[in-house]
Amino acid sequence: MKFFPLIWSNLKRRKVRTFFTLLSILVAFLLFGYLAAIRMAFSMGVDVVGTDRLSTIHKTAIIMPLPISYKDRIASVPGVEAVTHLNWFGGVYQDPKNFFPQMAVDTDTYLDMYPELVIPKAQVAAWKEDRTGAIVGRATADRFHWKVGDRVPIQGTFFRKTDGSSTFEFTIDGIYDGKEKGVDTSSFFFHYDYLNQAVRNGNLGVVGWYVLRIDDPKHTAEISKKIDSLFANSPAETKTQSEKALAQSFANQVGDVGRILTGILLAVFFTLLLVVGNTMAQAVRERTNEIAVLKTLGFSHGQALGLVLAESCLLAVLGGLAGLGIAWLAISAGDPTNGQLPVFYLPGRDAALGVVFAVLLGLVTGFLPALQAMRLRIAEALRR
């Protein structure tokens, strides 16, 4: 730390140049942090889905329904411990812009399948007793300022009641949270029996897809094959896969988001390397005589190398931390799309990776100028 005043004075030598270099680093790391949050949002919690859960969908497409009778046959497959089912509802609340997922579920089995959803037991009990009851995630409840006991009308788009109307009314019986960050808390769950009774007087006969828990994730491929073989050559053949694979397929529908964002960041950081590297090279050239004087006063080659590397790293780390800090503040303000990205936060591992990148940026951009300073001959430097 005794050399810090010297390093700091070198950064202040050209204040305007240092300011704009810091600004370029700040913007790059601000972009890094924001894109990391967007990547997490598009993954929709893929990293936190259960490894012991499988999804069985129609072989043609997930929008095709499956018979309700498949449930018992799936449950009979060795290795399957529990089965539940879901139906996509796709209704509209007040305005088509107010999108959020709505699913009709088997209330007796659904929450047991998803222990990462945290909700008070009293609210669960009230939900199971209320045929028109619903539970909603914290993100959606906060978005529309809903509270327990509110009556919420949702306009059906795919489903119509037997009386011809399309308005389904629900009572908010509970609000759930995620056990950890990354759990989607934007969904709205209600009774399958309510939908079944309303649209076909109890004769709907189909579900959207099944979710099952198995005894050992190592048997995923074997159990999936057994389930699909049960319904081979039937009018509704199935495709069973891990829930993580299904979630990832949804995330990839807009393209390989991870690869796209990685390409953007590589371009940004390559440009940043050129900018910061040029700044450090120019700074060392301007201080050739000063470095020679330091060596004359007894500074070793290693100390000359260390001073330039420390200056480069300090510049990169200051800009990087400022950029990541601003990104964290902006991301903490919430989803900028008003509900379209319910899982939106800066993961801790990405923040730590950003700090590592800042240090590496300082080392890489400062290495050649530092090497030049280390090799500088006193006599030649003083003649310049």
Side-chain angles (χ1 to χ4, degrees):
M1 292 299 292
K2 66 180 180 178
F3 295 120
F4 181 79
L6 179 59
I7 296 170
W8 187 249
S9 65
N10 287 336
L11 287 177
K12 295 192 297 181
R13 182 186 182 94
R14 293 286 185 268
K15 293 184 178 64
V16 174
R17 184 176 65 198
T18 299
F19 171 77
F20 281 107
T21 304
L22 275 172
L23 187 61
S24 65
I25 298 172
L26 183 152
V27 171
F29 280 89
L30 170 62
L31 182 63
F32 171 84
Y34 221 80
L35 291 182
I38 292 174
R39 182 194 60 79
M40 176 57 68
F42 273 96
S43 74
M44 289 295 291
V46 169
D47 294 336
V48 297
V49 298
T51 57
D52 60 346
R53 290 198 297 261
L54 307 183
S55 295
T56 298
I57 64 175
H58 197 287
K59 187 175 182 179
T60 303
I62 194 171
I63 61 173
M64 303 290 290
L66 294 173
I68 187 69
S69 59
Y70 280 14
K71 180 180 178 181
D72 292 337
R73 297 178 66 185
I74 293 173
S76 68
V77 174
V80 175
E81 295 184 333
V83 182
T84 191
H85 58 76
L86 302 85
N87 269 75
W88 180 264
F89 185 64
V92 173
Y93 176 67
Q94 295 181 338
D95 191 292
K97 296 185 300 182
N98 295 333
F99 170 81
F100 58 93
Q102 308 132 27
M103 263 85 71
V105 302
D106 179 5
T107 53
D108 292 330
T109 58
Y110 185 78
L111 289 178
D112 292 335
M113 187 68 68
Y114 291 91
E116 64 266 31
L117 305 184
V118 179
I119 182 171
K121 291 182 179 179
Q123 295 182 2
V124 174
W127 178 48
K128 290 183 177 181
E129 293 296 324
D130 183 5
R131 190 175 70 92
T132 63
I135 58 173
V136 61
R138 180 71 59 184
T140 297
D142 291 346
R143 177 183 174 189
F144 297 114
H145 308 291
W146 290 342
K147 60 184 183 300
V148 174
D150 284 354
R151 194 72 174 167
V152 176
I154 296 181
Q155 196 78 14
T157 53
F158 303 116
F159 296 99
R160 292 289 187 276
K161 292 183 177 179
T162 53
D163 61 6
S165 67
S166 60
T167 301
F168 294 75
E169 292 193 355
F170 303 94
T171 301
I172 304 298
D173 289 326
I175 297 174
Y176 71 86
D177 296 284
K179 185 176 290 186
E180 57 184 288
K181 279 191 173 182
V183 175
D184 182 6
T185 58
S186 67
S187 296
F188 182 98
F189 302 113
F190 63 95
H191 290 247
Y192 172 81
D193 290 342
Y194 175 42
L195 178 66
N196 192 22
Q197 185 66 37
V199 299
R200 291 288 182 84
N201 289 322
N203 297 315
L204 183 58
V206 294
V207 299
W209 67 96
Y210 291 95
V211 177
L212 49 139
R213 185 171 61 248
I214 60 177
D215 56 1
D216 190 344
K218 295 179 181 178
H219 300 154
T220 294
E222 178 186 348
I223 294 175
S224 298
K225 187 175 181 179
K226 287 181 180 179
I227 293 172
D228 294 339
S229 66
L230 286 176
F231 311 110
N233 301 317
S234 68
E237 293 186 272
T238 62
K239 177 183 178 182
T240 303
Q241 58 189 322
S242 69
E243 193 177 51
K244 183 172 183 177
L246 181 64
Q248 188 65 63
S249 68
F250 279 113
N252 289 340
Q253 285 182 359
V254 294
D256 192 336
V257 176
R259 183 173 297 179
I260 294 170
L261 298 185
T262 299
I264 294 172
L265 290 173
L266 284 175
V268 170
F269 278 102
F270 177 74
T271 305
L272 191 62
L273 282 173
L274 299 179
V275 172
V276 181
N278 180 68
T279 297
M280 290 308 303
Q282 189 173 352
V284 170
R285 285 196 301 270
E286 290 174 352
R287 299 201 305 271
T288 298
N289 289 343
E290 295 176 11
I291 294 172
V293 171
L294 288 177
K295 287 190 172 184
T296 302
L297 294 175
F299 277 70
S300 66
H301 294 310
Q303 286 176 322
L305 176 76
L307 283 174
V308 176
L309 280 178
E311 181 182 341
S312 177
C313 288
L314 180 60
L315 184 66
V317 170
L318 285 177
L321 291 178
L324 290 172
I326 294 174
W328 180 81
L329 288 174
I331 293 166
S332 299
D335 173 18
T337 62
N338 194 28
Q340 300 302 310
L341 301 176
V343 180
F344 189 71
Y345 70 98
L346 177 60
R349 66 176 183 273
D350 288 330
L353 189 61
V355 176
V356 173
F357 281 166
V359 175
L360 288 176
L361 176 66
L363 292 174
V364 172
T365 55
F367 178 73
L368 289 178
L371 194 62
Q372 179 185 354
M374 184 185 73
R375 293 175 175 176
L376 195 64
R377 295 178 182 273
I378 297 175
E380 293 179 1
L382 292 176
R383 283 201 302 265
R384 293 184 186 179

